[in-house]
Amino acid sequence: ALQLDVEQLQVLGGGAIATATAGSGDAATLSVTAETVLLSGQSAFGRSGLFASAIEADGAGGDIVVDASELAVADGATINASNFPSSFSSNVPGSAAPSSGPLPGQGPAGNVNLNVDELTLSDQALVTTATAGGDRGNINIQAQLIALRRGAGISANALDTATGGNIALDTDFITAVPSENSDITANAQQAQGGQITITAQGIFGPAFSDRLTPNSDITASSDIGLDGTVTLNELNVNPASDLAELPSGVVDESDRIVAGCPSDSGATFVASGRGGLPDAPRQALQDYFVLQGFETSPQEIVASTINASAAPPQPGVSKQRRSHLRPRLQEAERWSRNHRGEIQLLAQSAIAPTQTAVPCLKEVL
């Protein structure tokens, strides 16, 4: 096996990292582990990229494995596990075999396994397992995002009597511009097409088609054989699934008042809360506070108030001592009007025995 473990990998200008077999032996696996991988460009000798080829004989091609955070393939570069040598990889998979050079191998092609956070293919870039004979080569990609731009493609195509490979994409989103002809294909010429299975939360751009078109397609067809299958599993999320249903009826406030009270008599107002129910979404948020308890009883407050008002200041008694005779503040519990029509706030102990609190106005909030 050929294994690269680096922080960054760049293969540019027609450069290639490849494993191959030209006999009955199997090609080695090419494995790359990196934070970022960039494959870009091509030359007169072929595309830049990663290759695992099985040529001229019946040896099996090797697998290509990439584990990275970001994988960008651009400007005609490719990741190619096929029966063709890297020098002929500029031919679009699915087209006729090269007319010159080494003959394509008849052994099984290898597989391409990509485990990345973000995969970007642009400007004729390819991820492919093109085969001319033997068993199919498969493509398995796990990524959070797969983006295809300007004629890029993912293909497991087969020539002549070879069977189309399978493509499995497990991702959050697949994006492509419909008019840019960026395809996902598992096509065959004379044998059966492959299987394409896509599991994603959203597929934006490419659309299923039974034949290739000038648009961005997802196809698994065969020229004269049986077509393959395409399975699209979109994991749609319903944002309304966790919303609480609100009451649709309008509350009649008139039936919440038990009885009316004269304007010149006492009343009681009771706020019992919502009984454990949460606040309504449109209701203003309220602050919560705790009332401090009273250390002195109402009887003691009334007694101290009468004594303090009846007794004149005594000579020799300091101002600090007189301050202890002042009544402590007490929370008002009732209200009433005096003989001048003024509103008075009264504590329970300050209400005269002849006064009667009228608990006639009650409301439950």
Side-chain angles (χ1 to χ4, degrees):
L2 174 59
Q3 183 171 349
L4 301 178
D5 191 348
V6 296
E7 183 175 351
Q8 296 181 349
L9 176 64
Q10 295 185 357
V11 182
L12 311 174
I17 300 176
T19 64
T21 178
S24 59
D26 297 339
T29 296
L30 172 57
S31 177
V32 176
T33 301
E35 185 68 23
T36 60
V37 177
L38 172 61
L39 312 175
S40 180
Q42 54 187 318
S43 68
F45 300 100
R47 296 171 179 247
S48 301
L50 307 177
F51 301 90
S53 305
I55 55 177
E56 290 191 343
D58 57 358
D63 294 339
I64 298 177
V65 180
V66 178
D67 191 343
S69 295
E70 297 182 10
L71 173 56
V73 187
D75 297 327
T78 184
I79 297 175
N80 184 358
S82 72
N83 291 130
F84 301 99
S86 60
S87 59
F88 289 94
S89 61
S90 59
N91 292 273
V92 177
S95 63
S99 58
S100 61
L103 296 176
Q106 298 302 308
N111 302 315
V112 173
N113 300 310
L114 307 180
N115 184 12
V116 299
D117 292 337
E118 183 176 327
L119 172 62
T120 304
L121 307 177
S122 60
D123 300 301
Q124 307 297 319
L126 293 174
V127 174
T128 178
T129 55
T131 60
D135 297 330
R136 67 195 74 186
N138 302 322
I139 297 176
N140 301 289
I141 299 177
Q142 291 186 342
Q144 296 180 7
L145 173 65
I146 299 176
L148 293 83
R149 293 299 311 274
R150 297 178 292 276
I154 299 173
S155 67
N157 295 339
L159 303 179
D160 299 330
T161 59
T163 302
N166 298 330
I167 297 176
L169 307 180
D170 188 350
T171 181
D172 291 340
F173 301 100
I174 296 178
T175 63
V177 177
S179 62
E180 289 184 350
N181 196 21
S182 297
D183 301 322
I184 300 173
T185 61
N187 298 335
Q189 290 183 336
Q190 302 178 28
Q192 182 177 356
Q195 298 179 0
I196 299 177
T197 303
I198 299 177
T199 301
Q201 294 185 11
I203 301 174
F204 305 99
F208 169 75
S209 176
D210 57 356
R211 290 293 183 271
L212 286 174
T213 71
N215 297 320
S216 297
D217 303 312
I218 301 175
T219 67
S221 62
S222 177
D223 292 343
I224 60 176
L226 296 175
D227 289 341
T229 61
V230 175
T231 303
L232 305 180
N233 301 317
E234 290 193 62
L235 306 178
N236 294 322
V237 178
N238 183 8
S241 60
D242 292 333
L243 296 180
E245 184 177 357
L246 300 179
S248 58
V250 180
V251 178
D252 184 4
E253 299 287 347
S254 62
D255 61 356
R256 303 181 71 181
I257 303 299
V258 178
C261 293
S263 60
D264 58 349
S265 62
T268 300
F269 182 85
V270 179
S272 62
R274 295 175 54 83
L277 296 177
D279 292 336
R282 297 182 180 179
Q283 185 177 8
L285 296 177
Q286 299 178 355
D287 293 332
Y288 295 93
F289 58 90
V290 179
L291 294 176
Q292 300 294 330
F294 296 101
E295 299 177 0
T296 306
S297 65
Q299 291 77 9
E300 293 174 342
I301 294 178
V302 173
S304 62
T305 303
I306 295 175
N307 296 334
S309 60
Q314 300 179 5
V317 178
S318 66
K319 180 178 179 181
Q320 182 177 4
R321 287 187 57 192
R322 289 198 303 270
S323 63
H324 291 290
L325 300 178
R326 297 177 182 175
R328 298 176 64 88
L329 296 179
Q330 184 181 4
E331 181 182 9
E333 299 180 1
R334 300 288 188 272
W335 66 272
S336 66
R337 294 180 183 272
N338 59 20
H339 64 280
R340 292 189 297 273
E342 300 172 342
I343 299 297
Q344 292 181 328
L345 299 179
L346 304 175
Q348 178 66 35
S349 59
I351 300 177
T354 57
Q355 292 179 319
T356 301
V358 183
C360 55
L361 179 61
K362 298 182 178 180
E363 181 175 350
V364 179
L365 298 180

